[in-house]
Amino acid sequence: MNRQQKILAVLGIWLWGVQAFAQTEVRLAVHGSFSLPEETIAKFERENRAKVSVIKVGSGNEMLNKLILSRTKPIADAVYGLDNANIAKAVQNGILAEKQPVSAPVNVSLPGALAVDYGYVVLNYDKKWFGQNKLPLPQSLQDLAKPAYKNLLVTPNPATSSPGLSFLMANIGGLGEEAAFKWWGEMRRNGVKVAKSWSDAYNTDFTRNGGSRPLIVSYAASPAAEVHYGKGKYTEPPTGNLFLKGGVFRQVEGAAVLKGAKQPALAVKLVSYLQSADVQQALPTEMWVYPAVKGTPLPKVFEFAQTPPKHDAPAAKEMAQKQKQWVGRWTRVVLK
């Protein structure tokens, strides 16, 4: 082989390598709260000679709506963050691949997807605020509609936020449809504030972060997160949970391969990887959720993440059939 032939051979190998690398990008659509250590993602990339592109697409329901709108030309190969309140909508709109990976043994399940984690949507309260204002904690959702609690609650919008939608499902499941919307009408008159996302509500409107609302629709693990990020400042959480009838929803989040994925084989591996020990053990202190896979140990700080004694939700079939109607009705009752 002469010098020119060697140069061409090397160039050909380089071009093949570049082309091969470009073909191994796998895209994962996620909601805005998705978080994993860089090394955890890097391990998957090394083991599979792939590049993971994480595409954050707003809050949970925003993400789902964008995936539906782009289904003829999918913006990702796989998705993480669908949950038991919106998975039926994903299935009905045909955005998920017919064949999904086999699931590891899990504590919770999600039809049409692999369960990755779960948590409880509840009401959080600011302990300091309630102590300083000498206001007793509400004992029911109905208490929140009383004058004493006027302008105290912030909730994410169920049309755009997964926890907001989950809370609405708990209201309907625990109170009944008519009573739930009657309550929301009363809450509108009592000054409930609606935020676009959980992040907006918690980081801007909640009194713990400089806002004016000492009550928030959030997660049962949030008090544990407050202790963790306090870096030794707290021996007890500065926030607490309220487990009220009609105010607790068990949210199960999962991952799935999208129909029309450019890299379906890699998407299968990536979705399965989200149930691996590396990912499952990272989830509690990254996203403050419980790992779905059986036998995954929890960090010590999760002793501050209370588990509600019960949770409410409509039947799965009813959620699938009526969710759009319910969200529309909520919007009319609360916002219009």
Side-chain angles (χ1 to χ4, degrees):
M1 183 182 290
N2 59 36
R3 184 169 180 274
Q4 185 178 12
Q5 288 174 321
K6 288 180 179 179
I7 291 172
L8 289 172
V10 170
L11 182 61
I13 292 171
W14 179 80
L15 288 171
W16 177 87
V18 170
Q19 190 175 42
F21 178 79
Q23 291 174 343
T24 58
E25 179 193 34
V26 59
R27 302 162 300 160
L28 178 66
V30 301
H31 55 53
S33 298
F34 175 84
S35 176
L36 282 178
E38 289 184 10
E39 175 53 30
T40 305
I41 298 293
K43 183 178 180 181
F44 175 87
E45 293 177 325
R46 288 194 303 271
E47 292 178 347
N48 294 278
R49 302 174 67 89
K51 170 63 178 173
V52 177
S53 293
V54 176
I55 304 168
K56 289 199 172 184
V57 202
S59 60
N61 288 343
E62 284 182 301
M63 177 185 71
L64 174 56
N65 291 336
K66 287 177 183 177
L67 290 175
I68 291 170
L69 291 173
S70 62
R71 60 189 163 191
T72 57
K73 192 176 181 181
I75 60 173
D77 301 292
V79 57
Y80 159 79
L82 298 176
D83 64 29
N84 50 320
N86 63 25
I87 187 73
K89 184 177 178 181
V91 172
Q92 288 170 350
N93 283 274
I95 67 169
L96 306 182
E98 290 183 13
K99 188 174 182 180
Q100 297 293 334
V102 176
S103 177
V106 290
N107 296 309
V108 291
S109 60
L110 192 65
L114 268 65
V116 174
D117 60 74
Y118 67 100
Y120 296 92
V121 174
V122 301
L123 290 172
N124 288 171
Y125 67 94
D126 182 345
K127 291 179 178 178
K128 183 179 178 180
W129 189 96
F130 274 88
Q132 289 178 338
N133 287 273
K134 296 181 172 53
L135 183 66
L137 292 172
Q139 300 302 303
S140 67
L141 290 181
Q142 288 76 12
D143 280 352
L144 291 175
K146 295 177 180 178
Y149 299 94
K150 188 176 179 66
N151 299 328
L152 299 189
L153 176 66
V154 59
T155 181
N157 189 329
T160 54
S161 163
S162 291
L165 178 61
S166 297
F167 187 65
L168 176 59
M169 295 301 102
N171 306 152
I172 294 171
L175 304 180
E177 182 175 348
E178 293 308 313
F181 285 106
K182 180 177 183 292
W183 177 75
W184 274 111
E186 293 169 351
M187 288 303 297
R188 176 177 182 166
R189 292 187 290 275
N190 214 39
V192 65
K193 183 170 184 180
V194 179
K196 181 179 180 182
S197 67
W198 173 86
S199 297
D200 290 338
Y202 203 90
N203 297 324
T204 302
D205 298 306
F206 193 31
T207 48
R208 283 286 309 152
N209 295 305
S212 62
R213 306 282 166 146
L215 288 164
I216 181 173
V217 173
S218 186
Y219 292 94
S222 294
E226 291 280 355
V227 173
H228 176 81
Y229 292 119
K231 300 184 184 301
K233 184 178 178 181
Y234 305 114
T235 56
E236 291 290 331
T239 61
N241 294 315
L242 295 176
F243 299 147
L244 307 181
K245 179 176 174 56
V248 181
F249 183 88
R250 188 176 71 178
Q251 182 185 34
V252 181
E253 293 186 307
V257 179
L258 290 169
K259 184 180 288 186
K262 288 183 179 178
Q263 296 291 342
L266 271 176
V268 166
K269 291 181 178 180
L270 181 56
V271 167
S272 294
Y273 184 66
L274 293 177
Q275 286 190 332
S276 71
D278 290 305
V279 172
Q280 290 290 298
Q281 290 176 26
L283 287 171
T285 53
E286 284 289 330
M287 289 190 277
W288 299 98
V289 289
Y290 290 91
V293 174
K294 288 184 176 179
T296 305
L298 289 172
K300 182 173 172 51
V301 74
F302 257 59
E303 67 188 19
F304 299 113
Q306 299 169 296
T307 301
K310 64 171 296 184
H311 49 89
D312 295 303
K317 185 177 181 180
E318 191 177 20
M319 277 199 290
Q321 292 175 340
K322 295 187 175 181
Q323 185 184 122
K324 184 178 180 180
Q325 172 190 329
W326 286 336
V327 171
R329 185 175 178 182
W330 182 94
T331 301
R332 292 190 300 273
V333 169
V334 180
L335 298 179
K336 293 185 176 179

PDB file of all heavy atoms in Angstrom, residues 171-199:
ATOM      1  N   ASN A 171     -58.404  14.854  44.340  1.00  0.00           N
ATOM      2  CA  ASN A 171     -59.627  15.553  44.762  1.00  0.00           C
ATOM      3  C   ASN A 171     -60.863  14.808  44.284  1.00  0.00           C
ATOM      4  O   ASN A 171     -61.797  14.557  45.060  1.00  0.00           O
ATOM      5  CB  ASN A 171     -59.665  16.968  44.184  1.00  0.00           C
ATOM      6  CG  ASN A 171     -58.455  17.816  44.474  1.00  0.00           C
ATOM      7  OD1 ASN A 171     -58.130  18.707  43.704  1.00  0.00           O
ATOM      8  ND2 ASN A 171     -57.761  17.557  45.576  1.00  0.00           N
ATOM      9  N   ILE A 172     -60.870  14.451  43.005  1.00  0.00           N
ATOM     10  CA  ILE A 172     -62.033  13.774  42.426  1.00  0.00           C
ATOM     11  C   ILE A 172     -62.194  12.383  43.020  1.00  0.00           C
ATOM     12  O   ILE A 172     -63.305  11.947  43.331  1.00  0.00           O
ATOM     13  CB  ILE A 172     -61.900  13.724  40.890  1.00  0.00           C
ATOM     14  CG1 ILE A 172     -61.959  15.148  40.320  1.00  0.00           C
ATOM     15  CG2 ILE A 172     -62.989  12.843  40.278  1.00  0.00           C
ATOM     16  CD1 ILE A 172     -61.616  15.247  38.847  1.00  0.00           C
ATOM     17  N   GLY A 173     -61.065  11.682  43.193  1.00  0.00           N
ATOM     18  CA  GLY A 173     -61.130  10.336  43.760  1.00  0.00           C
ATOM     19  C   GLY A 173     -61.581  10.323  45.202  1.00  0.00           C
ATOM     20  O   GLY A 173     -62.310   9.417  45.630  1.00  0.00           O
ATOM     21  N   GLY A 174     -61.161  11.330  45.982  1.00  0.00           N
ATOM     22  CA  GLY A 174     -61.481  11.335  47.406  1.00  0.00           C
ATOM     23  C   GLY A 174     -62.781  12.013  47.760  1.00  0.00           C
ATOM     24  O   GLY A 174     -63.455  11.615  48.729  1.00  0.00           O
ATOM     25  N   LEU A 175     -63.162  13.050  47.002  1.00  0.00           N
ATOM     26  CA  LEU A 175     -64.370  13.810  47.328  1.00  0.00           C
ATOM     27  C   LEU A 175     -65.554  13.461  46.437  1.00  0.00           C
ATOM     28  O   LEU A 175     -66.702  13.712  46.798  1.00  0.00           O
ATOM     29  CB  LEU A 175     -64.095  15.322  47.198  1.00  0.00           C
ATOM     30  CG  LEU A 175     -62.939  15.900  48.022  1.00  0.00           C
ATOM     31  CD1 LEU A 175     -62.812  17.403  47.755  1.00  0.00           C
ATOM     32  CD2 LEU A 175     -63.133  15.629  49.502  1.00  0.00           C
ATOM     33  N   GLY A 176     -65.266  12.925  45.254  1.00  0.00           N
ATOM     34  CA  GLY A 176     -66.297  12.754  44.242  1.00  0.00           C
ATOM     35  C   GLY A 176     -66.245  13.935  43.283  1.00  0.00           C
ATOM     36  O   GLY A 176     -65.836  15.046  43.660  1.00  0.00           O
ATOM     37  N   GLU A 177     -66.650  13.714  42.052  1.00  0.00           N
ATOM     38  CA  GLU A 177     -66.491  14.733  41.004  1.00  0.00           C
ATOM     39  C   GLU A 177     -67.188  16.050  41.344  1.00  0.00           C
ATOM     40  O   GLU A 177     -66.585  17.121  41.301  1.00  0.00           O
ATOM     41  CB  GLU A 177     -67.013  14.183  39.672  1.00  0.00           C
ATOM     42  CG  GLU A 177     -66.839  15.152  38.515  1.00  0.00           C
ATOM     43  CD  GLU A 177     -67.243  14.544  37.187  1.00  0.00           C
ATOM     44  OE1 GLU A 177     -67.442  13.306  37.113  1.00  0.00           O
ATOM     45  OE2 GLU A 177     -67.373  15.312  36.202  1.00  0.00           O
ATOM     46  N   GLU A 178     -68.463  15.985  41.664  1.00  0.00           N
ATOM     47  CA  GLU A 178     -69.203  17.237  41.897  1.00  0.00           C
ATOM     48  C   GLU A 178     -68.689  17.983  43.124  1.00  0.00           C
ATOM     49  O   GLU A 178     -68.530  19.209  43.107  1.00  0.00           O
ATOM     50  CB  GLU A 178     -70.702  16.941  42.033  1.00  0.00           C
ATOM     51  CG  GLU A 178     -71.332  16.433  40.741  1.00  0.00           C
ATOM     52  CD  GLU A 178     -71.045  17.336  39.543  1.00  0.00           C
ATOM     53  OE1 GLU A 178     -71.197  18.570  39.677  1.00  0.00           O
ATOM     54  OE2 GLU A 178     -70.669  16.810  38.479  1.00  0.00           O
ATOM     55  N   ALA A 179     -68.418  17.255  44.194  1.00  0.00           N
ATOM     56  CA  ALA A 179     -67.916  17.897  45.409  1.00  0.00           C
ATOM     57  C   ALA A 179     -66.532  18.508  45.180  1.00  0.00           C
ATOM     58  O   ALA A 179     -66.211  19.575  45.727  1.00  0.00           O
ATOM     59  CB  ALA A 179     -67.861  16.883  46.551  1.00  0.00           C
ATOM     60  N   ALA A 180     -65.719  17.839  44.351  1.00  0.00           N
ATOM     61  CA  ALA A 180     -64.369  18.353  44.071  1.00  0.00           C
ATOM     62  C   ALA A 180     -64.445  19.694  43.341  1.00  0.00           C
ATOM     63  O   ALA A 180     -63.741  20.648  43.704  1.00  0.00           O
ATOM     64  CB  ALA A 180     -63.585  17.337  43.249  1.00  0.00           C
ATOM     65  N   PHE A 181     -65.289  19.794  42.335  1.00  0.00           N
ATOM     66  CA  PHE A 181     -65.363  21.049  41.585  1.00  0.00           C
ATOM     67  C   PHE A 181     -66.081  22.141  42.378  1.00  0.00           C
ATOM     68  O   PHE A 181     -65.775  23.330  42.215  1.00  0.00           O
ATOM     69  CB  PHE A 181     -66.005  20.816  40.219  1.00  0.00           C
ATOM     70  CG  PHE A 181     -65.069  20.135  39.261  1.00  0.00           C
ATOM     71  CD1 PHE A 181     -65.230  18.795  38.924  1.00  0.00           C
ATOM     72  CD2 PHE A 181     -63.997  20.832  38.730  1.00  0.00           C
ATOM     73  CE1 PHE A 181     -64.338  18.167  38.065  1.00  0.00           C
ATOM     74  CE2 PHE A 181     -63.101  20.210  37.867  1.00  0.00           C
ATOM     75  CZ  PHE A 181     -63.268  18.877  37.541  1.00  0.00           C
ATOM     76  N   LYS A 182     -66.991  21.741  43.238  1.00  0.00           N
ATOM     77  CA  LYS A 182     -67.600  22.724  44.142  1.00  0.00           C
ATOM     78  C   LYS A 182     -66.522  23.309  45.053  1.00  0.00           C
ATOM     79  O   LYS A 182     -66.469  24.529  45.286  1.00  0.00           O
ATOM     80  CB  LYS A 182     -68.714  22.061  44.961  1.00  0.00           C
ATOM     81  CG  LYS A 182     -69.425  23.000  45.940  1.00  0.00           C
ATOM     82  CD  LYS A 182     -70.556  22.256  46.648  1.00  0.00           C
ATOM     83  CE  LYS A 182     -71.340  23.175  47.591  1.00  0.00           C
ATOM     84  NZ  LYS A 182     -70.528  23.592  48.754  1.00  0.00           N
ATOM     85  N   TRP A 183     -65.654  22.430  45.565  1.00  0.00           N
ATOM     86  CA  TRP A 183     -64.564  22.887  46.427  1.00  0.00           C
ATOM     87  C   TRP A 183     -63.625  23.835  45.681  1.00  0.00           C
ATOM     88  O   TRP A 183     -63.221  24.858  46.227  1.00  0.00           O
ATOM     89  CB  TRP A 183     -63.795  21.679  46.966  1.00  0.00           C
ATOM     90  CG  TRP A 183     -62.610  22.062  47.805  1.00  0.00           C
ATOM     91  CD1 TRP A 183     -62.642  22.539  49.080  1.00  0.00           C
ATOM     92  CD2 TRP A 183     -61.233  22.015  47.420  1.00  0.00           C
ATOM     93  NE1 TRP A 183     -61.359  22.799  49.533  1.00  0.00           N
ATOM     94  CE2 TRP A 183     -60.471  22.478  48.530  1.00  0.00           C
ATOM     95  CE3 TRP A 183     -60.563  21.618  46.269  1.00  0.00           C
ATOM     96  CZ2 TRP A 183     -59.081  22.550  48.502  1.00  0.00           C
ATOM     97  CZ3 TRP A 183     -59.179  21.685  46.246  1.00  0.00           C
ATOM     98  CH2 TRP A 183     -58.444  22.164  47.349  1.00  0.00           C
ATOM     99  N   TRP A 184     -63.306  23.503  44.435  1.00  0.00           N
ATOM    100  CA  TRP A 184     -62.412  24.372  43.665  1.00  0.00           C
ATOM    101  C   TRP A 184     -63.056  25.744  43.421  1.00  0.00           C
ATOM    102  O   TRP A 184     -62.373  26.761  43.412  1.00  0.00           O
ATOM    103  CB  TRP A 184     -62.026  23.718  42.342  1.00  0.00           C
ATOM    104  CG  TRP A 184     -60.839  22.807  42.490  1.00  0.00           C
ATOM    105  CD1 TRP A 184     -60.816  21.452  42.402  1.00  0.00           C
ATOM    106  CD2 TRP A 184     -59.493  23.216  42.781  1.00  0.00           C
ATOM    107  NE1 TRP A 184     -59.537  20.978  42.613  1.00  0.00           N
ATOM    108  CE2 TRP A 184     -58.708  22.038  42.849  1.00  0.00           C
ATOM    109  CE3 TRP A 184     -58.872  24.453  42.991  1.00  0.00           C
ATOM    110  CZ2 TRP A 184     -57.331  22.062  43.107  1.00  0.00           C
ATOM    111  CZ3 TRP A 184     -57.502  24.478  43.252  1.00  0.00           C
ATOM    112  CH2 TRP A 184     -56.752  23.301  43.312  1.00  0.00           C
ATOM    113  N   GLY A 185     -64.365  25.777  43.224  1.00  0.00           N
ATOM    114  CA  GLY A 185     -65.041  27.062  43.084  1.00  0.00           C
ATOM    115  C   GLY A 185     -64.909  27.889  44.352  1.00  0.00           C
ATOM    116  O   GLY A 185     -64.667  29.112  44.310  1.00  0.00           O
ATOM    117  N   GLU A 186     -65.030  27.206  45.499  1.00  0.00           N
ATOM    118  CA  GLU A 186     -64.858  27.893  46.781  1.00  0.00           C
ATOM    119  C   GLU A 186     -63.417  28.365  46.965  1.00  0.00           C
ATOM    120  O   GLU A 186     -63.153  29.446  47.495  1.00  0.00           O
ATOM    121  CB  GLU A 186     -65.250  26.943  47.920  1.00  0.00           C
ATOM    122  CG  GLU A 186     -66.738  26.605  47.931  1.00  0.00           C
ATOM    123  CD  GLU A 186     -67.071  25.463  48.881  1.00  0.00           C
ATOM    124  OE1 GLU A 186     -66.124  24.830  49.407  1.00  0.00           O
ATOM    125  OE2 GLU A 186     -68.279  25.195  49.096  1.00  0.00           O
ATOM    126  N   MET A 187     -62.466  27.562  46.496  1.00  0.00           N
ATOM    127  CA  MET A 187     -61.057  27.936  46.615  1.00  0.00           C
ATOM    128  C   MET A 187     -60.722  29.129  45.728  1.00  0.00           C
ATOM    129  O   MET A 187     -59.886  29.974  46.092  1.00  0.00           O
ATOM    130  CB  MET A 187     -60.168  26.742  46.266  1.00  0.00           C
ATOM    131  CG  MET A 187     -60.171  25.644  47.325  1.00  0.00           C
ATOM    132  SD  MET A 187     -59.658  26.237  48.962  1.00  0.00           S
ATOM    133  CE  MET A 187     -57.979  26.758  48.629  1.00  0.00           C
ATOM    134  N   ARG A 188     -61.370  29.201  44.580  1.00  0.00           N
ATOM    135  CA  ARG A 188     -61.155  30.386  43.742  1.00  0.00           C
ATOM    136  C   ARG A 188     -61.577  31.649  44.498  1.00  0.00           C
ATOM    137  O   ARG A 188     -60.846  32.650  44.503  1.00  0.00           O
ATOM    138  CB  ARG A 188     -61.937  30.259  42.436  1.00  0.00           C
ATOM    139  CG  ARG A 188     -61.830  31.518  41.568  1.00  0.00           C
ATOM    140  CD  ARG A 188     -62.540  31.360  40.248  1.00  0.00           C
ATOM    141  NE  ARG A 188     -62.382  32.557  39.434  1.00  0.00           N
ATOM    142  CZ  ARG A 188     -62.664  32.625  38.134  1.00  0.00           C
ATOM    143  NH1 ARG A 188     -63.100  31.556  37.495  1.00  0.00           N
ATOM    144  NH2 ARG A 188     -62.492  33.751  37.475  1.00  0.00           N
ATOM    145  N   ARG A 189     -62.722  31.567  45.123  1.00  0.00           N
ATOM    146  CA  ARG A 189     -63.213  32.719  45.887  1.00  0.00           C
ATOM    147  C   ARG A 189     -62.340  32.991  47.117  1.00  0.00           C
ATOM    148  O   ARG A 189     -62.306  34.107  47.621  1.00  0.00           O
ATOM    149  CB  ARG A 189     -64.668  32.491  46.288  1.00  0.00           C
ATOM    150  CG  ARG A 189     -65.643  32.505  45.110  1.00  0.00           C
ATOM    151  CD  ARG A 189     -67.089  32.447  45.557  1.00  0.00           C
ATOM    152  NE  ARG A 189     -67.455  31.152  46.114  1.00  0.00           N
ATOM    153  CZ  ARG A 189     -67.859  30.110  45.384  1.00  0.00           C
ATOM    154  NH1 ARG A 189     -67.914  30.207  44.064  1.00  0.00           N
ATOM    155  NH2 ARG A 189     -68.192  28.970  45.983  1.00  0.00           N
ATOM    156  N   ASN A 190     -61.629  31.949  47.549  1.00  0.00           N
ATOM    157  CA  ASN A 190     -60.783  32.106  48.733  1.00  0.00           C
ATOM    158  C   ASN A 190     -59.320  32.402  48.359  1.00  0.00           C
ATOM    159  O   ASN A 190     -58.423  32.294  49.203  1.00  0.00           O
ATOM    160  CB  ASN A 190     -60.854  30.854  49.619  1.00  0.00           C
ATOM    161  CG  ASN A 190     -60.750  31.204  51.090  1.00  0.00           C
ATOM    162  OD1 ASN A 190     -61.294  32.204  51.552  1.00  0.00           O
ATOM    163  ND2 ASN A 190     -60.051  30.370  51.865  1.00  0.00           N
ATOM    164  N   GLY A 191     -59.104  32.773  47.095  1.00  0.00           N
ATOM    165  CA  GLY A 191     -57.801  33.301  46.707  1.00  0.00           C
ATOM    166  C   GLY A 191     -56.718  32.306  46.383  1.00  0.00           C
ATOM    167  O   GLY A 191     -55.522  32.623  46.490  1.00  0.00           O
ATOM    168  N   VAL A 192     -57.060  31.078  45.947  1.00  0.00           N
ATOM    169  CA  VAL A 192     -56.014  30.130  45.548  1.00  0.00           C
ATOM    170  C   VAL A 192     -55.190  30.722  44.404  1.00  0.00           C
ATOM    171  O   VAL A 192     -55.728  31.367  43.501  1.00  0.00           O
ATOM    172  CB  VAL A 192     -56.618  28.775  45.135  1.00  0.00           C
ATOM    173  CG1 VAL A 192     -57.478  28.890  43.878  1.00  0.00           C
ATOM    174  CG2 VAL A 192     -55.511  27.746  44.923  1.00  0.00           C
ATOM    175  N   LYS A 193     -53.881  30.536  44.440  1.00  0.00           N
ATOM    176  CA  LYS A 193     -53.011  31.006  43.367  1.00  0.00           C
ATOM    177  C   LYS A 193     -52.613  29.822  42.508  1.00  0.00           C
ATOM    178  O   LYS A 193     -52.315  28.733  43.015  1.00  0.00           O
ATOM    179  CB  LYS A 193     -51.761  31.683  43.917  1.00  0.00           C
ATOM    180  CG  LYS A 193     -50.867  32.242  42.811  1.00  0.00           C
ATOM    181  CD  LYS A 193     -49.747  33.117  43.354  1.00  0.00           C
ATOM    182  CE  LYS A 193     -48.952  33.724  42.194  1.00  0.00           C
ATOM    183  NZ  LYS A 193     -47.851  34.596  42.671  1.00  0.00           N
ATOM    184  N   VAL A 194     -52.596  30.023  41.196  1.00  0.00           N
ATOM    185  CA  VAL A 194     -52.250  28.959  40.252  1.00  0.00           C
ATOM    186  C   VAL A 194     -50.922  29.296  39.580  1.00  0.00           C
ATOM    187  O   VAL A 194     -50.766  30.378  39.009  1.00  0.00           O
ATOM    188  CB  VAL A 194     -53.352  28.784  39.189  1.00  0.00           C
ATOM    189  CG1 VAL A 194     -52.957  27.693  38.197  1.00  0.00           C
ATOM    190  CG2 VAL A 194     -54.684  28.439  39.859  1.00  0.00           C
ATOM    191  N   ALA A 195     -49.963  28.374  39.675  1.00  0.00           N
ATOM    192  CA  ALA A 195     -48.661  28.532  39.019  1.00  0.00           C
ATOM    193  C   ALA A 195     -48.593  27.598  37.823  1.00  0.00           C
ATOM    194  O   ALA A 195     -49.283  26.569  37.774  1.00  0.00           O
ATOM    195  CB  ALA A 195     -47.536  28.217  39.999  1.00  0.00           C
ATOM    196  N   LYS A 196     -47.755  27.931  36.860  1.00  0.00           N
ATOM    197  CA  LYS A 196     -47.640  27.113  35.657  1.00  0.00           C
ATOM    198  C   LYS A 196     -47.055  25.739  35.966  1.00  0.00           C
ATOM    199  O   LYS A 196     -47.466  24.733  35.404  1.00  0.00           O
ATOM    200  CB  LYS A 196     -46.777  27.819  34.611  1.00  0.00           C
ATOM    201  CG  LYS A 196     -46.631  27.052  33.312  1.00  0.00           C
ATOM    202  CD  LYS A 196     -45.785  27.820  32.307  1.00  0.00           C
ATOM    203  CE  LYS A 196     -45.633  27.038  31.004  1.00  0.00           C
ATOM    204  NZ  LYS A 196     -44.779  27.749  30.031  1.00  0.00           N
ATOM    205  N   SER A 197     -46.064  25.706  36.876  1.00  0.00           N
ATOM    206  CA  SER A 197     -45.376  24.458  37.170  1.00  0.00           C
ATOM    207  C   SER A 197     -45.119  24.330  38.663  1.00  0.00           C
ATOM    208  O   SER A 197     -45.231  25.297  39.420  1.00  0.00           O
ATOM    209  CB  SER A 197     -44.028  24.409  36.433  1.00  0.00           C
ATOM    210  OG  SER A 197     -43.140  25.386  36.965  1.00  0.00           O
ATOM    211  N   TRP A 198     -44.738  23.101  39.083  1.00  0.00           N
ATOM    212  CA  TRP A 198     -44.375  22.889  40.477  1.00  0.00           C
ATOM    213  C   TRP A 198     -43.160  23.737  40.837  1.00  0.00           C
ATOM    214  O   TRP A 198     -43.101  24.326  41.916  1.00  0.00           O
ATOM    215  CB  TRP A 198     -44.076  21.408  40.733  1.00  0.00           C
ATOM    216  CG  TRP A 198     -43.544  21.176  42.106  1.00  0.00           C
ATOM    217  CD1 TRP A 198     -44.274  20.985  43.250  1.00  0.00           C
ATOM    218  CD2 TRP A 198     -42.169  21.171  42.510  1.00  0.00           C
ATOM    219  NE1 TRP A 198     -43.433  20.842  44.342  1.00  0.00           N
ATOM    220  CE2 TRP A 198     -42.136  20.959  43.909  1.00  0.00           C
ATOM    221  CE3 TRP A 198     -40.964  21.319  41.825  1.00  0.00           C
ATOM    222  CZ2 TRP A 198     -40.943  20.889  44.634  1.00  0.00           C
ATOM    223  CZ3 TRP A 198     -39.771  21.261  42.545  1.00  0.00           C
ATOM    224  CH2 TRP A 198     -39.768  21.048  43.928  1.00  0.00           C
ATOM    225  N   SER A 199     -42.190  23.810  39.955  1.00  0.00           N
ATOM    226  CA  SER A 199     -40.972  24.582  40.226  1.00  0.00           C
ATOM    227  C   SER A 199     -41.300  26.048  40.479  1.00  0.00           C
ATOM    228  O   SER A 199     -40.753  26.668  41.408  1.00  0.00           O
ATOM    229  CB  SER A 199     -39.985  24.460  39.062  1.00  0.00           C
ATOM    230  OG  SER A 199     -39.558  23.124  38.904  1.00  0.00           O
TER     231      SER A 199
END
